[in-house]
Amino acid sequence: MRWENLSPGSEHSRADTALFGAETVTTRTFDTPEFAGITFHEIRARSIVNRVPGASRMPFEWTVNPYRGCSHACVYCFARKSHSYLDLDTGLGFDSQIVVKTNAPELLRHRLASPGWRGEHIAMGTNVDCYQRAEGRYRLMPGILAALRDHANPFSVLTKGTLILRDLPLLKQASEVTDVGVSVSVGFTDEGLWRTVEPGTPAPERRLDVVRTFTEHGIGCGVLMAPVIPFLSDRPDQLRAAVRAVAASGATSVTPLVLHLRPGAREWFTAWLGRHHPYLVARYRRLYADGAYAPKWYQRRITRQVHELAQEYGIGPARTETPRRIRAAGPAGPPAAEPTQLTLL
Ligand code: SF4
């Protein structure tokens, strides 16, 4: 393990000054294969509960994000742009320069106890994954979940990380006193595609094992089928394989979401497409000619196909035995804010 306090002349000093007015910044690297090439910027943040911008279509008003950047390194990640707010690179920098708000649990506990807090729903995993690899070392989520449990504050978690299983007992305890939503993000089950486009994530099957385990423990867990990637994971047989696997995991719901390509993600994804699937670059230019979203007709088609498959495989509330207070996080495993960026895992 190596410690390095930032100095004004260091290569990270620009990011240092941009880290949300944090009081201290320390950078660390760890000499373990798991964290090879990753730099952690530890900060003591001044606030941890963020308000979702009013213009957002998302059903949540408040979010908590203990990390910035994500070593899961999904090429399409919508949160890439938010790294530029820190003067950090939105490509490899997003994957490897991880900001850690080490005081997140105590800040949250303080906020939940403040007279102005009205006990509203808090969404997590909405900007970057709170169960990315860093969480295995920093262990911020247990303190966060304990604070939410102790204040009986409703919340939801969306993740691609299998590490959430570590906190299953805490999630169960919280569910006994408040509403808790859990969703796992699995956009497809194609292994070759997974290895190149989501290189730092647990395999789709391992993520579905998370759903299975939650189900076995009586905790309803939904799947956000995101993203469905045009021309790469949208063939009928691919959609069928994914929905069949989701059904086999015992998921309480499956919600498809077609790839968005917002600035930050768009450049990085297009470069990846050019390297791995150059014949698709022109088709993508046409499909996303109007901006960040695929055309409505395309989105509707995918949604219809997935819903039909879900019905065929029996995914839905009718077959679930969801405990009274735990439910799968809703269809909008929510985009997020920080400072104003909303995204989906
Ligand atoms: S999509 Fe989610 S899991 Fe993937 S890099 Fe972004 S925040 Fe991390």
Side-chain angles (χ1 to χ4, degrees):
M1 186 172 73
R2 181 159 63 82
W3 288 71
E4 175 198 359
N5 284 312
L6 288 176
S7 63
S10 82
E11 62 181 298
H12 300 303
S13 58
R14 282 204 320 146
D16 187 5
T17 58
L19 287 171
F20 296 102
E23 286 169 7
T24 56
V25 179
T26 301
T27 58
R28 289 197 208 205
T29 56
F30 299 104
D31 293 331
T32 57
E34 193 185 6
F35 296 122
I38 297 180
T39 300
F40 295 98
H41 302 272
E42 297 179 354
I43 68 171
R44 291 188 64 77
R46 290 189 180 153
S47 66
I48 194 67
V49 182
N50 303 298
R51 187 174 218 138
V52 175
S56 167
R57 292 177 296 171
M58 302 319 296
F60 302 102
E61 196 175 348
W62 302 97
T63 63
V64 164
N65 290 292
Y67 300 100
R68 305 294 305 272
C70 184
S71 60
H72 282 164
C74 304
V75 175
Y76 53 74
C77 181
F78 312 151
R80 290 187 177 279
K81 172 85 174 160
S82 65
H83 239 39
S84 68
Y85 306 150
L86 308 176
D87 283 335
L88 291 170
D89 171 56
T90 58
L92 276 182
F94 177 84
D95 306 340
S96 61
Q97 304 287 321
I98 309 298
V99 177
V100 184
K101 300 171 191 173
T102 56
N103 58 338
E106 66 194 71
L107 275 178
L108 177 61
R109 196 171 277 279
H110 183 72
R111 182 77 167 104
L112 296 180
S114 67
W117 181 251
R118 299 201 308 275
E120 292 146 295
H121 182 102
I122 289 178
M124 293 179 285
T126 57
N127 190 50
V128 300
D129 202 326
C130 48
Y131 284 104
Q132 59 178 287
R133 270 176 277 155
E135 173 60 19
R137 183 169 286 268
Y138 285 97
R139 301 182 65 86
L140 300 179
M141 287 303 291
I144 288 171
L145 296 179
L148 290 162
R149 175 202 60 197
D150 295 347
H151 287 270
N153 201 98
F155 66 93
S156 58
V157 185
L158 170 66
T159 186
K160 283 191 177 90
T162 51
L163 193 56
I164 191 174
L165 290 176
R166 179 199 64 194
D167 294 341
L168 197 151
L170 271 169
L171 288 162
K172 280 194 99 159
Q173 290 166 20
S175 73
E176 287 161 13
V177 295
T178 190
D179 286 327
V180 176
V182 182
S183 275
V184 170
S185 173
V186 183
F188 48 84
T189 51
D190 182 307
E191 189 173 329
L193 182 59
W194 159 64
R195 286 187 188 284
T196 59
V197 83
E198 299 172 339
T201 62
E205 258 310 314
R206 299 290 75 73
R207 285 178 247 159
L208 291 173
D209 285 344
V210 170
V211 179
R212 200 167 281 114
T213 303
F214 271 85
T215 303
E216 286 165 5
H217 283 79
I219 297 179
C221 184
V223 168
L224 183 68
M225 194 168 155
V228 174
I229 305 180
F231 318 128
L232 291 173
S233 71
D234 65 350
R235 288 197 322 265
D237 63 303
Q238 289 174 307
L239 295 178
R240 176 172 289 279
V243 175
R244 187 170 51 223
V246 169
S249 74
T252 54
S253 64
V254 59
T255 305
L257 189 74
V258 172
L259 178 73
H260 298 171
L261 288 177
R262 297 195 186 107
R266 188 178 186 118
E267 301 84 344
W268 196 241
F269 181 84
T270 303
W272 172 86
L273 198 65
R275 286 195 305 276
H276 292 268
H277 307 279
Y279 58 97
L280 287 179
V281 171
R283 286 183 81 185
Y284 262 79
R285 205 175 294 126
R286 288 195 292 276
L287 193 68
Y288 288 88
D290 290 339
Y293 297 89
K296 285 267 184 270
W297 63 261
Y298 180 87
Q299 294 186 47
R300 285 197 200 100
R301 192 185 87 196
I302 296 297
T303 301
R304 178 176 45 76
Q305 286 176 291
V306 171
H307 284 171
E308 285 172 6
L309 287 163
Q311 199 168 21
E312 181 180 334
Y313 286 106
I315 304 174
R319 71 163 210 182
T320 60
E321 294 173 19
T322 307
R324 188 172 58 89
R325 302 204 72 127
I326 296 196
R327 59 178 176 75
E338 191 167 299
T340 56
Q341 175 78 14
L342 295 189
T343 186
L344 272 170
L345 283 171

mmCIF file of all heavy atoms in Angstrom, residues 208-245:
data_model
loop_
_atom_site.group_PDB
_atom_site.id
_atom_site.type_symbol
_atom_site.label_atom_id
_atom_site.label_comp_id
_atom_site.label_asym_id
_atom_site.label_seq_id
_atom_site.Cartn_x
_atom_site.Cartn_y
_atom_site.Cartn_z
ATOM 1 N N LEU A 208 -26.985 -12.276 -11.320
ATOM 2 C CA LEU A 208 -28.272 -12.951 -11.153
ATOM 3 C C LEU A 208 -28.249 -13.880 -9.939
ATOM 4 O O LEU A 208 -29.284 -14.131 -9.320
ATOM 5 C CB LEU A 208 -28.639 -13.700 -12.435
ATOM 6 C CG LEU A 208 -28.978 -12.765 -13.606
ATOM 7 C CD1 LEU A 208 -29.158 -13.539 -14.903
ATOM 8 C CD2 LEU A 208 -30.228 -11.937 -13.305
ATOM 9 N N ASP A 209 -27.053 -14.355 -9.583
ATOM 10 C CA ASP A 209 -26.933 -15.122 -8.336
ATOM 11 C C ASP A 209 -27.302 -14.255 -7.133
ATOM 12 O O ASP A 209 -27.833 -14.750 -6.129
ATOM 13 C CB ASP A 209 -25.497 -15.643 -8.159
ATOM 14 C CG ASP A 209 -25.198 -16.822 -9.082
ATOM 15 O OD1 ASP A 209 -26.160 -17.422 -9.613
ATOM 16 O OD2 ASP A 209 -23.999 -17.128 -9.276
ATOM 17 N N VAL A 210 -26.984 -12.966 -7.232
ATOM 18 C CA VAL A 210 -27.361 -12.038 -6.160
ATOM 19 C C VAL A 210 -28.878 -12.003 -6.024
ATOM 20 O O VAL A 210 -29.433 -12.107 -4.928
ATOM 21 C CB VAL A 210 -26.816 -10.621 -6.452
ATOM 22 C CG1 VAL A 210 -27.422 -9.600 -5.477
ATOM 23 C CG2 VAL A 210 -25.296 -10.602 -6.359
ATOM 24 N N VAL A 211 -29.549 -11.884 -7.166
ATOM 25 C CA VAL A 211 -31.014 -11.861 -7.156
ATOM 26 C C VAL A 211 -31.537 -13.148 -6.519
ATOM 27 O O VAL A 211 -32.436 -13.140 -5.672
ATOM 28 C CB VAL A 211 -31.560 -11.711 -8.589
ATOM 29 C CG1 VAL A 211 -33.092 -11.723 -8.585
ATOM 30 C CG2 VAL A 211 -31.044 -10.423 -9.231
ATOM 31 N N ARG A 212 -30.909 -14.263 -6.941
ATOM 32 C CA ARG A 212 -31.341 -15.582 -6.440
ATOM 33 C C ARG A 212 -31.191 -15.657 -4.918
ATOM 34 O O ARG A 212 -32.082 -16.126 -4.207
ATOM 35 C CB ARG A 212 -30.462 -16.650 -7.123
ATOM 36 C CG ARG A 212 -31.017 -18.039 -7.117
ATOM 37 C CD ARG A 212 -30.233 -18.934 -8.069
ATOM 38 N NE ARG A 212 -30.599 -18.759 -9.475
ATOM 39 C CZ ARG A 212 -29.816 -18.263 -10.430
ATOM 40 N NH1 ARG A 212 -28.569 -17.919 -10.152
ATOM 41 N NH2 ARG A 212 -30.250 -18.125 -11.667
ATOM 42 N N THR A 213 -30.063 -15.175 -4.436
ATOM 43 C CA THR A 213 -29.812 -15.232 -2.994
ATOM 44 C C THR A 213 -30.794 -14.361 -2.224
ATOM 45 O O THR A 213 -31.327 -14.768 -1.190
ATOM 46 C CB THR A 213 -28.364 -14.781 -2.688
ATOM 47 O OG1 THR A 213 -27.473 -15.608 -3.434
ATOM 48 C CG2 THR A 213 -28.040 -14.887 -1.212
ATOM 49 N N PHE A 214 -31.027 -13.162 -2.728
ATOM 50 C CA PHE A 214 -32.005 -12.298 -2.064
ATOM 51 C C PHE A 214 -33.371 -12.987 -2.029
ATOM 52 O O PHE A 214 -34.060 -12.979 -1.011
ATOM 53 C CB PHE A 214 -32.109 -10.949 -2.785
ATOM 54 C CG PHE A 214 -31.120 -9.932 -2.261
ATOM 55 C CD1 PHE A 214 -29.825 -9.882 -2.728
ATOM 56 C CD2 PHE A 214 -31.497 -9.031 -1.279
ATOM 57 C CE1 PHE A 214 -28.920 -8.959 -2.241
ATOM 58 C CE2 PHE A 214 -30.600 -8.100 -0.775
ATOM 59 C CZ PHE A 214 -29.305 -8.065 -1.261
ATOM 60 N N THR A 215 -33.732 -13.579 -3.159
ATOM 61 C CA THR A 215 -35.040 -14.261 -3.229
ATOM 62 C C THR A 215 -35.102 -15.390 -2.204
ATOM 63 O O THR A 215 -36.112 -15.556 -1.501
ATOM 64 C CB THR A 215 -35.244 -14.826 -4.647
ATOM 65 O OG1 THR A 215 -35.127 -13.752 -5.581
ATOM 66 C CG2 THR A 215 -36.620 -15.461 -4.803
ATOM 67 N N GLU A 216 -34.012 -16.165 -2.118
ATOM 68 C CA GLU A 216 -33.983 -17.279 -1.156
ATOM 69 C C GLU A 216 -34.138 -16.793 0.286
ATOM 70 O O GLU A 216 -34.594 -17.527 1.152
ATOM 71 C CB GLU A 216 -32.675 -18.061 -1.305
ATOM 72 C CG GLU A 216 -32.650 -18.934 -2.556
ATOM 73 C CD GLU A 216 -31.249 -19.436 -2.913
ATOM 74 O OE1 GLU A 216 -30.300 -19.177 -2.132
ATOM 75 O OE2 GLU A 216 -31.113 -20.066 -3.975
ATOM 76 N N HIS A 217 -33.710 -15.555 0.523
ATOM 77 C CA HIS A 217 -33.829 -14.998 1.870
ATOM 78 C C HIS A 217 -35.125 -14.209 2.037
ATOM 79 O O HIS A 217 -35.268 -13.431 2.985
ATOM 80 C CB HIS A 217 -32.631 -14.111 2.184
ATOM 81 C CG HIS A 217 -31.399 -14.909 2.516
ATOM 82 N ND1 HIS A 217 -30.617 -15.499 1.560
ATOM 83 C CD2 HIS A 217 -30.850 -15.243 3.715
ATOM 84 C CE1 HIS A 217 -29.622 -16.147 2.138
ATOM 85 N NE2 HIS A 217 -29.742 -16.010 3.444
ATOM 86 N N GLY A 218 -36.025 -14.359 1.079
ATOM 87 C CA GLY A 218 -37.324 -13.701 1.219
ATOM 88 C C GLY A 218 -37.315 -12.232 0.887
ATOM 89 O O GLY A 218 -38.206 -11.483 1.297
ATOM 90 N N ILE A 219 -36.289 -11.795 0.180
ATOM 91 C CA ILE A 219 -36.202 -10.383 -0.180
ATOM 92 C C ILE A 219 -36.452 -10.235 -1.674
ATOM 93 O O ILE A 219 -35.682 -10.734 -2.506
ATOM 94 C CB ILE A 219 -34.813 -9.809 0.181
ATOM 95 C CG1 ILE A 219 -34.603 -9.881 1.694
ATOM 96 C CG2 ILE A 219 -34.679 -8.377 -0.328
ATOM 97 C CD1 ILE A 219 -33.262 -9.367 2.163
ATOM 98 N N GLY A 220 -37.519 -9.554 -2.035
ATOM 99 C CA GLY A 220 -37.822 -9.331 -3.445
ATOM 100 C C GLY A 220 -36.760 -8.454 -4.090
ATOM 101 O O GLY A 220 -36.317 -7.476 -3.508
ATOM 102 N N CYS A 221 -36.343 -8.832 -5.292
ATOM 103 C CA CYS A 221 -35.267 -8.101 -5.973
ATOM 104 C C CYS A 221 -35.632 -7.977 -7.449
ATOM 105 O O CYS A 221 -35.929 -8.970 -8.107
ATOM 106 C CB CYS A 221 -33.956 -8.874 -5.785
ATOM 107 S SG CYS A 221 -32.520 -8.044 -6.459
ATOM 108 N N GLY A 222 -35.632 -6.769 -7.962
ATOM 109 C CA GLY A 222 -35.941 -6.541 -9.371
ATOM 110 C C GLY A 222 -34.685 -6.489 -10.213
ATOM 111 O O GLY A 222 -33.581 -6.337 -9.692
ATOM 112 N N VAL A 223 -34.866 -6.638 -11.504
ATOM 113 C CA VAL A 223 -33.734 -6.506 -12.431
ATOM 114 C C VAL A 223 -34.007 -5.339 -13.374
ATOM 115 O O VAL A 223 -35.063 -5.271 -14.012
ATOM 116 C CB VAL A 223 -33.509 -7.803 -13.243
ATOM 117 C CG1 VAL A 223 -32.536 -7.553 -14.403
ATOM 118 C CG2 VAL A 223 -32.951 -8.891 -12.335
ATOM 119 N N LEU A 224 -33.057 -4.421 -13.404
ATOM 120 C CA LEU A 224 -33.087 -3.363 -14.394
ATOM 121 C C LEU A 224 -32.286 -3.885 -15.594
ATOM 122 O O LEU A 224 -31.080 -4.105 -15.482
ATOM 123 C CB LEU A 224 -32.444 -2.089 -13.835
ATOM 124 C CG LEU A 224 -32.489 -0.885 -14.773
ATOM 125 C CD1 LEU A 224 -33.917 -0.397 -14.952
ATOM 126 C CD2 LEU A 224 -31.612 0.231 -14.242
ATOM 127 N N MET A 225 -32.972 -4.153 -16.680
ATOM 128 C CA MET A 225 -32.305 -4.719 -17.862
ATOM 129 C C MET A 225 -31.705 -3.553 -18.653
ATOM 130 O O MET A 225 -32.269 -3.083 -19.644
ATOM 131 C CB MET A 225 -33.313 -5.508 -18.688
ATOM 132 C CG MET A 225 -32.698 -6.401 -19.729
ATOM 133 S SD MET A 225 -33.970 -7.512 -20.383
ATOM 134 C CE MET A 225 -33.265 -7.846 -21.993
ATOM 135 N N ALA A 226 -30.553 -3.104 -18.155
ATOM 136 C CA ALA A 226 -29.954 -1.889 -18.701
ATOM 137 C C ALA A 226 -28.438 -2.026 -18.810
ATOM 138 O O ALA A 226 -27.798 -2.495 -17.888
ATOM 139 C CB ALA A 226 -30.289 -0.708 -17.806
ATOM 140 N N PRO A 227 -27.916 -1.574 -19.949
ATOM 141 C CA PRO A 227 -28.695 -1.143 -21.090
ATOM 142 C C PRO A 227 -28.889 -2.272 -22.095
ATOM 143 O O PRO A 227 -28.079 -3.178 -22.174
ATOM 144 C CB PRO A 227 -27.795 -0.058 -21.706
ATOM 145 C CG PRO A 227 -26.406 -0.552 -21.443
ATOM 146 C CD PRO A 227 -26.474 -1.309 -20.141
ATOM 147 N N VAL A 228 -29.977 -2.176 -22.845
ATOM 148 C CA VAL A 228 -30.092 -2.984 -24.061
ATOM 149 C C VAL A 228 -29.307 -2.222 -25.129
ATOM 150 O O VAL A 228 -29.567 -1.042 -25.376
ATOM 151 C CB VAL A 228 -31.563 -3.158 -24.475
ATOM 152 C CG1 VAL A 228 -31.660 -3.884 -25.822
ATOM 153 C CG2 VAL A 228 -32.333 -3.915 -23.392
ATOM 154 N N ILE A 229 -28.310 -2.869 -25.720
ATOM 155 C CA ILE A 229 -27.386 -2.177 -26.619
ATOM 156 C C ILE A 229 -27.770 -2.482 -28.071
ATOM 157 O O ILE A 229 -27.695 -3.637 -28.514
ATOM 158 C CB ILE A 229 -25.928 -2.621 -26.339
ATOM 159 C CG1 ILE A 229 -25.598 -2.390 -24.861
ATOM 160 C CG2 ILE A 229 -24.960 -1.839 -27.223
ATOM 161 C CD1 ILE A 229 -24.197 -2.793 -24.465
ATOM 162 N N PRO A 230 -28.196 -1.455 -28.813
ATOM 163 C CA PRO A 230 -28.648 -1.673 -30.191
ATOM 164 C C PRO A 230 -27.620 -2.441 -31.028
ATOM 165 O O PRO A 230 -26.414 -2.158 -30.970
ATOM 166 C CB PRO A 230 -28.835 -0.250 -30.721
ATOM 167 C CG PRO A 230 -29.169 0.558 -29.508
ATOM 168 C CD PRO A 230 -28.340 -0.053 -28.399
ATOM 169 N N PHE A 231 -28.090 -3.412 -31.771
ATOM 170 C CA PHE A 231 -27.323 -4.222 -32.720
ATOM 171 C C PHE A 231 -26.298 -5.158 -32.048
ATOM 172 O O PHE A 231 -25.618 -5.917 -32.714
ATOM 173 C CB PHE A 231 -26.581 -3.350 -33.744
ATOM 174 C CG PHE A 231 -27.410 -2.198 -34.251
ATOM 175 C CD1 PHE A 231 -26.916 -0.898 -34.214
ATOM 176 C CD2 PHE A 231 -28.695 -2.414 -34.746
ATOM 177 C CE1 PHE A 231 -27.684 0.166 -34.669
ATOM 178 C CE2 PHE A 231 -29.472 -1.347 -35.212
ATOM 179 C CZ PHE A 231 -28.966 -0.054 -35.169
ATOM 180 N N LEU A 232 -26.186 -5.084 -30.725
ATOM 181 C CA LEU A 232 -25.232 -5.945 -30.025
ATOM 182 C C LEU A 232 -25.902 -6.851 -28.985
ATOM 183 O O LEU A 232 -25.385 -7.923 -28.691
ATOM 184 C CB LEU A 232 -24.144 -5.099 -29.343
ATOM 185 C CG LEU A 232 -23.183 -4.405 -30.306
ATOM 186 C CD1 LEU A 232 -22.254 -3.454 -29.558
ATOM 187 C CD2 LEU A 232 -22.351 -5.445 -31.070
ATOM 188 N N SER A 233 -27.016 -6.394 -28.415
ATOM 189 C CA SER A 233 -27.689 -7.279 -27.453
ATOM 190 C C SER A 233 -29.205 -7.264 -27.649
ATOM 191 O O SER A 233 -29.946 -7.648 -26.749
ATOM 192 C CB SER A 233 -27.355 -6.869 -26.009
ATOM 193 O OG SER A 233 -27.989 -5.653 -25.658
ATOM 194 N N ASP A 234 -29.651 -6.831 -28.850
ATOM 195 C CA ASP A 234 -31.094 -6.675 -29.046
ATOM 196 C C ASP A 234 -31.725 -7.699 -29.992
ATOM 197 O O ASP A 234 -32.890 -7.560 -30.359
ATOM 198 C CB ASP A 234 -31.400 -5.250 -29.542
ATOM 199 C CG ASP A 234 -30.805 -4.979 -30.927
ATOM 200 O OD1 ASP A 234 -29.999 -5.806 -31.420
ATOM 201 O OD2 ASP A 234 -31.149 -3.939 -31.521
ATOM 202 N N ARG A 235 -30.959 -8.715 -30.404
ATOM 203 C CA ARG A 235 -31.585 -9.744 -31.244
ATOM 204 C C ARG A 235 -32.638 -10.483 -30.418
ATOM 205 O O ARG A 235 -32.469 -10.635 -29.195
ATOM 206 C CB ARG A 235 -30.545 -10.758 -31.732
ATOM 207 C CG ARG A 235 -29.584 -10.251 -32.800
ATOM 208 C CD ARG A 235 -28.896 -11.444 -33.491
ATOM 209 N NE ARG A 235 -28.582 -12.523 -32.577
ATOM 210 C CZ ARG A 235 -27.406 -12.693 -31.971
ATOM 211 N NH1 ARG A 235 -26.410 -11.864 -32.187
ATOM 212 N NH2 ARG A 235 -27.217 -13.709 -31.166
ATOM 213 N N PRO A 236 -33.704 -10.956 -31.061
ATOM 214 C CA PRO A 236 -34.746 -11.660 -30.308
ATOM 215 C C PRO A 236 -34.188 -12.794 -29.441
ATOM 216 O O PRO A 236 -34.614 -12.971 -28.291
ATOM 217 C CB PRO A 236 -35.666 -12.181 -31.410
ATOM 218 C CG PRO A 236 -35.520 -11.192 -32.517
ATOM 219 C CD PRO A 236 -34.078 -10.764 -32.486
ATOM 220 N N ASP A 237 -33.233 -13.553 -29.979
ATOM 221 C CA ASP A 237 -32.698 -14.664 -29.179
ATOM 222 C C ASP A 237 -31.901 -14.150 -27.984
ATOM 223 O O ASP A 237 -31.873 -14.774 -26.923
ATOM 224 C CB ASP A 237 -31.848 -15.600 -30.054
ATOM 225 C CG ASP A 237 -30.631 -14.902 -30.625
ATOM 226 O OD1 ASP A 237 -30.807 -13.872 -31.310
ATOM 227 O OD2 ASP A 237 -29.492 -15.354 -30.385
ATOM 228 N N GLN A 238 -31.256 -12.988 -28.139
ATOM 229 C CA GLN A 238 -30.496 -12.428 -27.016
ATOM 230 C C GLN A 238 -31.440 -11.904 -25.929
ATOM 231 O O GLN A 238 -31.197 -12.110 -24.738
ATOM 232 C CB GLN A 238 -29.589 -11.295 -27.510
ATOM 233 C CG GLN A 238 -28.423 -11.776 -28.354
ATOM 234 C CD GLN A 238 -27.650 -10.597 -28.941
ATOM 235 O OE1 GLN A 238 -28.237 -9.717 -29.575
ATOM 236 N NE2 GLN A 238 -26.350 -10.589 -28.736
ATOM 237 N N LEU A 239 -32.501 -11.236 -26.365
ATOM 238 C CA LEU A 239 -33.477 -10.741 -25.381
ATOM 239 C C LEU A 239 -34.119 -11.910 -24.645
ATOM 240 O O LEU A 239 -34.301 -11.887 -23.428
ATOM 241 C CB LEU A 239 -34.555 -9.896 -26.075
ATOM 242 C CG LEU A 239 -34.080 -8.591 -26.735
ATOM 243 C CD1 LEU A 239 -35.249 -7.887 -27.421
ATOM 244 C CD2 LEU A 239 -33.427 -7.650 -25.728
ATOM 245 N N ARG A 240 -34.440 -12.955 -25.409
ATOM 246 C CA ARG A 240 -35.055 -14.139 -24.796
ATOM 247 C C ARG A 240 -34.112 -14.782 -23.774
ATOM 248 O O ARG A 240 -34.521 -15.121 -22.656
ATOM 249 C CB ARG A 240 -35.436 -15.146 -25.882
ATOM 250 C CG ARG A 240 -36.010 -16.457 -25.340
ATOM 251 C CD ARG A 240 -36.547 -17.338 -26.448
ATOM 252 N NE ARG A 240 -37.773 -16.807 -27.033
ATOM 253 C CZ ARG A 240 -38.984 -16.941 -26.525
ATOM 254 N NH1 ARG A 240 -39.170 -17.629 -25.392
ATOM 255 N NH2 ARG A 240 -40.035 -16.419 -27.121
ATOM 256 N N ALA A 241 -32.854 -14.925 -24.142
ATOM 257 C CA ALA A 241 -31.896 -15.545 -23.209
ATOM 258 C C ALA A 241 -31.778 -14.720 -21.932
ATOM 259 O O ALA A 241 -31.729 -15.276 -20.817
ATOM 260 C CB ALA A 241 -30.526 -15.676 -23.882
ATOM 261 N N ALA A 242 -31.761 -13.409 -22.091
ATOM 262 C CA ALA A 242 -31.614 -12.546 -20.906
ATOM 263 C C ALA A 242 -32.851 -12.644 -20.012
ATOM 264 O O ALA A 242 -32.726 -12.843 -18.792
ATOM 265 C CB ALA A 242 -31.381 -11.096 -21.341
ATOM 266 N N VAL A 243 -34.025 -12.538 -20.600
ATOM 267 C CA VAL A 243 -35.249 -12.567 -19.788
ATOM 268 C C VAL A 243 -35.437 -13.941 -19.154
ATOM 269 O O VAL A 243 -35.841 -14.054 -17.992
ATOM 270 C CB VAL A 243 -36.479 -12.156 -20.634
ATOM 271 C CG1 VAL A 243 -37.763 -12.311 -19.830
ATOM 272 C CG2 VAL A 243 -36.336 -10.717 -21.119
ATOM 273 N N ARG A 244 -35.077 -14.994 -19.897
ATOM 274 C CA ARG A 244 -35.187 -16.341 -19.321
ATOM 275 C C ARG A 244 -34.277 -16.469 -18.092
ATOM 276 O O ARG A 244 -34.678 -17.013 -17.053
ATOM 277 C CB ARG A 244 -34.799 -17.382 -20.379
ATOM 278 C CG ARG A 244 -35.039 -18.823 -19.925
ATOM 279 C CD ARG A 244 -34.863 -19.789 -21.087
ATOM 280 N NE ARG A 244 -33.599 -19.571 -21.784
ATOM 281 C CZ ARG A 244 -33.439 -19.561 -23.101
ATOM 282 N NH1 ARG A 244 -34.457 -19.783 -23.899
ATOM 283 N NH2 ARG A 244 -32.259 -19.346 -23.644
ATOM 284 N N ALA A 245 -33.069 -15.948 -18.196
ATOM 285 C CA ALA A 245 -32.133 -16.015 -17.063
ATOM 286 C C ALA A 245 -32.625 -15.171 -15.893
ATOM 287 O O ALA A 245 -32.498 -15.568 -14.727
ATOM 288 C CB ALA A 245 -30.745 -15.544 -17.508
#
